[in-house]
């Protein structure tokens, strides 16, 4: 058995009930084979073995009361995966599907993503199986306060800086931050994604979606193509999807679909984003209601969004939302590029299919890194107690995404895999973290 096969076996045996984590780590292990072969120092120092095991994983009970006075119990999680290059950094997800497998896959991806940004942030992730949908403001506040009453002892501006993710937006961050301050009596940058009035950064809201388009633009240009005039299929209608749609339209693309967990809409005239924002950001309604505003649009219940012909697909909802059968449909209909806005939205088979059919493909850890990049810029602004303008922050974001593309592309070239941005992202992200681990002695 080769060393890499041994790693793969260990991964599967030690994490048997964590399919999403195994999926994310398998992809990275596959990419790293040439790096491990070339540099024996990583093997000799057991870097892979250490990377795959989180520094620390915390699970706690969250007890809160609902509006009827009932006592409710949820599970809270924080995985502090790796802090070789900076404090742990990664979002909190509130969704009924959250468990250790989900949090570990997200935290693991975050190590490499954060490394690619070039900023000093380590990898972590957390959340709860609490579902904010259908809860009152008071219930959400009760939950967030109780969640932070345990989490606060594990985090800090120089230790671990959580942010939002699915189900955690600026409202939840506000309640979490308020409780942290109440407990610690410190107004520090312990969370990112804060409102502008108390330490948030301009462009944070837009950053992940905009970043996806800045990366896509660089990837297309490197192949002599452009966004102008292209038809986009975007899934999701949350934070990432909305601002990916906005930037795609600004850059001359036509977006014809968006979705939520109930179904998806097709608008042949192009998505009217103000309607989506009204439904999703203001009134918290279902995407099915879009049709009432745009009579030419068609609503489909359930899945099927990837059957829509397009040039570019941006999966921006959740993990494993685009499978091999979807990839085949997209390729059959002539897709030229797929950029992941969500984390691991395409399963491994779908990714391999895109690559073997010469579709330009960017993994989430590269193309959606704009969110955490601006989070790190929020930390920097908090440290110097200053705020940068929208234009300045957006310029920095754009440059960071172009730099990520260069790093990913160069790493792929260097290891004889030109155009394989999955391998490039894993290799470039890994080398920085691995070298920092080597420099700091055994931990
Ligand atoms: P939001 O909660 O704002 O939106 C999530 C969207 O995905 C909603 O439209 C939601 O529909 C849909 N969705 C969620 N779960 C499912 C599911 N199981 N099946 C189908 N649709 C689903 O989250 P974000 O936009 O912030 O995050 C989206 C993705 O991007 C996640 O993978 C996240 O980890 C990733 N990401 C987010 C970053 C950020 O800055 N926000 C940064 C980097 C990555 P519904 O409303 O019906 O639940």
């Amino acid at each position: 058995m080769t060393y890499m096969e041994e790693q793969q076996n260990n991964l599967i045996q030690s994490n048997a009930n964590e399919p999403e984590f195994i999926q994310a780590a398998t992809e990275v292990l596959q990419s790293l084979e040439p790096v491990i072969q070339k540099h024996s120092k990583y093997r000799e120092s057991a870097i892979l073995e250490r990377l795959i095991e989180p520094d620390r994983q915390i699970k706690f009970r969250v007890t809160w009361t609902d509006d009827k006075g009932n006592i409710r119990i949820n599970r809270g999680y924080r995985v502090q995966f790796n802090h070789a290059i900076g404090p742990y950094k990664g979002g909190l997800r509130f969704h009924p599907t959250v468990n250790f497998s989900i949090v570990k896959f997200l935290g693991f991806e975050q190590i490499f993503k954060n490394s690619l940004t070039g900023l000093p942030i380590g990898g972590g992730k957390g959340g709860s199986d609490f579902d904010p949908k259908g809860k009152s403001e008071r219930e959400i506040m009760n939950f967030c306060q109780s969640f932070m009453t345990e989490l606060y002892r594990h985090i800090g501006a120089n230790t671990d800086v959580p942010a939002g993710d699915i189900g955690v937006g600026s409202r939840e961050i506000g309640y979490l931050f308020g409780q942290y301050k109440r407990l610690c009596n410190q107004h520090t940058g312990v969370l990112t994604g804060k409102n502008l009035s108390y330490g948030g950064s301009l462009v944070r809201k837009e950053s992940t979606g905009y970043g996806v388009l800045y990366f896509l633009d660089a990837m297309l240009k490197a192949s002599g193509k452009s966004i102008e005039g292209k038809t986009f299929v975007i899934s999701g209608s949350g934070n990432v999807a909305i601002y990916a749609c906005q930037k795609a339209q600004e850059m001359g693309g036509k977006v014809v679909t968006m979705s939520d967990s109930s179904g998806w809409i097709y608008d042949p005239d192009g998505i009217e984003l103000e309607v989506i924002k009204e439904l999703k950001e203001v009134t918290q309604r279902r995407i099915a209601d879009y049709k009432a505003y745009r009579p030419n649009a068609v609503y489909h219940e359930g899945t099927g969004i990837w059957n829509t012909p397009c040039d570019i697909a941006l999966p921006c909802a959740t993990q494993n939302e685009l499978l091999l059968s979807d990839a085949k449909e997209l390729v059959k209909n002539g897709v030229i590029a797929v950029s992941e806005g969500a984390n691991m939205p395409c399963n491994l088979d779908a990714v391999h299919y895109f690559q073997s059919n010469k579709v330009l493909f960017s993994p989430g850890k590269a193309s959606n890194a704009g969110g955490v990049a601006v989070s790190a810029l929020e930390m920097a602004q908090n440290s110097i107690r200053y705020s940068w303008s929208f234009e300045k922050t957006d310029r920095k974001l754009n440059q960071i995404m172009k730099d990520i593309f260069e790093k990913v592309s160069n790493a792929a070239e260097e290891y004889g895999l030109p155009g394989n941005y999955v391998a490039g992202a894993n290799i470039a992200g890994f080398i920085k973290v691995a070298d920092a681990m080597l420099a700091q002695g055994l931990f």
Side-chain angles (χ1 to χ4, degrees), residues 93 133 165-167 204 208 237-240 261 286 317 342-343:
R93 175 177 292 190
K133 278 205 202 88
D165 191 79
I166 291 178
R204 176 59 191 92
T208 308
S237 51
N239 175 261
V240 179
S261 53
R286 307 309 296 161
N343 286 311

Side-chain angles (χ1 to χ4, degrees), residues 106-219:
L106 291 163
F108 186 71
E109 292 274 295
Q110 202 82 44
I111 303 171
F112 304 90
K113 181 189 312 195
N114 293 4
S115 165
L116 287 172
T117 65
L119 300 164
I121 38 179
K125 199 82 188 189
S128 172
D129 58 0
F130 171 76
D131 187 358
K133 278 205 202 88
K135 303 288 190 305
S136 70
E137 285 286 323
R138 173 175 284 275
E139 288 174 328
I140 287 172
M141 185 180 74
N142 284 349
F143 175 81
C144 289
Q145 290 181 337
S146 181
F147 184 86
M148 184 52 84
T149 301
E150 172 60 30
L151 186 69
Y152 87 96
R153 69 190 82 242
H154 305 292
I155 62 175
N158 294 312
T159 310
D160 182 357
V161 183
D165 191 79
I166 291 178
V168 179
S170 64
R171 172 183 60 179
E172 289 76 17
I173 292 290
Y175 294 143
L176 292 164
F177 185 71
Q179 185 69 358
Y180 181 85
K181 252 183 17 177
R182 209 166 286 123
L183 292 163
C184 297
N185 199 25
Q186 281 182 10
H187 195 124
T188 61
V190 67
L191 292 166
T192 57
K194 301 184 289 297
N195 275 348
L196 295 175
S197 57
Y198 60 90
S201 174
L202 285 161
V203 195
R204 176 59 191 92
K205 186 173 67 170
E206 297 84 356
S207 56
T208 308
Y210 280 18
V212 171
L213 269 293
Y214 295 151
F215 187 96
L216 173 70
D217 186 44
M219 180 168 81

